[in-house]
Structure formats: C-alpha cells, structure tokens
C-alpha cells in the first residue's frame, strides 16, 4: 500500500534527524487530505508525495545538496513509483532553483508532469509553515524571504517563482470549486 509505506519512509528518514521537517511534511500531508476533490482518483498519490516531498533534506541523503533532486534520487533508489519520484523532484517550482544552481540538466532527467496533482502538491507545501501549521501563500513566501535573507539564492528563487507558484495555487482552488465530488457532498 502506497500511503503506509510513504509515511513509514518519511518518518524513518526525517523524524530522528530533522523533527521540525517531519512536523512540516505531516502538515503538508494533512493539507493534501483536504484537496482530494481537486485531484480525482489520485488523492493517495498526492498525499504520498506530500509526506515525502522533503526527504531530500536528510543529511545522509545529500548527493547534489539540492533537496528536491536528492529526494528524487533517494526515492528512485528504493523503487518508489516513478510519478512520485518526479513529483518530488519538481515540487514547488524546483526547476527555477535548479537553474540557479546549475542543475537544470540533472533535474530534467525527471519529467514534470504539470498535472492537477503537481499543482496541488505545490499548493500544500506553500500553505504550510515550517512547523506544519496552515498558513497563507503570502505569509509563507514572506517567511521564506525573511528566514533566508535578501542575499540568499533561495530568496532570489522564491521571488522569481512567485508567479508560477501562485498560478498553481489558483488552478487548484479552481479545481476545488469545479469538482463534482465537492458539489455533491
Ligand atoms: Fe516543504
């Protein structure tokens, strides 16, 4: 079963060494549960990607030093489903930061599916605090800029990615509004 495996894997990798990151991904996964209407039959894939999206922060898994790629390499090495691997590689507009880090050709080994699940994963990550609490996209971006400071590459990245991230969030909100599942419940 995908979900128990995803939670066990994320907990094993993150909880002992990065407990705050483990709290964050649990919050992101909780948010994913609220968005099932936006992703049709793919709610389990979304939630699995949500709980695993930051495994690449685990120091033992560092390979490129860029956590979306390191997470994807790790997940591929343990035979995770390929869509899950690619969703993790591209989470929250990672392609833009990969370009800034000279890792574009490396991240392009993993196709970005550009789907409703992918948009919803970005939504979940960008509306959850580092401690796993719900927040707004605006507050989350402001917190990232403040945490890293004006000179950091991550601040430049989030500034550049804001439009793409906001568009993914808006598409997800629209899918929630349009969902027959939501309207019938
Ligand atoms: Fe995250």
């Amino acid at each position: 079963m995908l979900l128990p495996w995803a939670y066990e894997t994320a907990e094993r990798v993150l909880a002992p060494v990065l407990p705050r990151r483990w709290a964050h991904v649990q919050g992101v996964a909780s948010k994913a549960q609220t968005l099932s209407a936006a992703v049709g039959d793919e709610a389990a894939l979304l939630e699995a990607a949500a709980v695993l999206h930051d495994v690449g922060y685990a120091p033992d898994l560092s390979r490129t030093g860029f956590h979306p790629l390191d997470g994807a390499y790790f997940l591929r090495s343990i035979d995770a489903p390929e869509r899950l691997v690619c969703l993790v590689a591209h989470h929250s507009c990672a392609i833009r930061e990969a370009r800034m880090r000279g890792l574009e050709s490396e991240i392009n080994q993993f196709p970005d599916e550009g789907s409703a699940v992918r948009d919803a994963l970005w939504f979940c990550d960008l509306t959850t605090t580092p401690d796993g609490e719900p927040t707004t996209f605006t507050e989350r971006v402001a917190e990232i800029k403040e945490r890293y400071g004006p000179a950091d590459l991550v601040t430049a990245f989030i500034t550049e990615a804001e439009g793409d991230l906001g568009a993914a969030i808006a598409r997800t909100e629209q899918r929630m509004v349009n969902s027959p599942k939501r309207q019938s419940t």
Side-chain angles (χ1 to χ4, degrees):
M1 289 290 288
L2 182 65
L3 273 178
W5 166 83
Y7 277 88
E8 281 163 24
T9 303
E11 183 172 12
R12 174 170 55 81
V13 172
L14 290 176
V17 284
L18 297 172
R20 193 181 186 208
R21 191 62 62 178
W22 170 231
H24 166 72
V25 300
Q26 288 177 91
V28 176
S30 296
K31 181 65 68 76
Q33 290 172 357
T34 71
L35 294 180
S36 60
V39 296
D41 296 335
E42 303 195 295
L45 176 63
L46 171 62
E47 189 175 343
V51 81
L52 284 165
H53 78 279
D54 275 348
V55 283
Y57 276 114
D60 285 357
L61 304 186
S62 184
R63 177 166 163 177
T64 67
F66 182 46
H67 80 276
L69 258 181
D70 292 343
Y73 281 129
F74 165 68
L75 290 168
R76 187 175 265 176
S77 78
I78 59 168
D79 295 323
E82 188 64 10
R83 283 186 68 194
L84 178 56
V85 170
C86 295
L87 286 164
V88 168
H90 284 277
H91 80 263
S92 302
C93 210
I95 181 69
R96 287 190 179 275
E97 191 172 336
R99 283 185 193 128
M100 292 176 171
R101 292 179 182 274
L103 294 168
E104 184 173 8
S105 58
E106 212 163 321
I107 202 172
N108 281 338
Q109 300 170 68
F110 304 91
D112 176 4
E113 66 176 50
S115 64
V117 176
R118 175 267 226 181
D119 285 349
L121 177 61
W122 295 19
F123 179 113
C124 297
D125 191 22
L126 270 297
T127 57
T128 304
T129 69
D131 294 307
E133 299 300 323
T135 188
T136 63
F137 173 52
T138 306
E139 284 172 3
R140 175 80 154 115
V141 169
E143 184 278 323
I144 291 169
K145 288 178 180 174
E146 193 184 319
R147 179 158 38 110
Y148 286 92
D152 198 279
L153 180 147
V154 174
T155 300
F157 150 70
I158 200 77
T159 303
E160 189 185 292
E162 237 174 299
D164 289 346
L165 295 167
I169 289 169
R171 285 192 296 272
T172 302
E173 287 169 340
Q174 196 56 49
R175 289 183 183 113
M176 291 294 288
V177 170
N178 294 341
S179 164
K181 202 168 157 186
R182 184 174 181 268
Q183 284 160 11
S184 65
T185 53

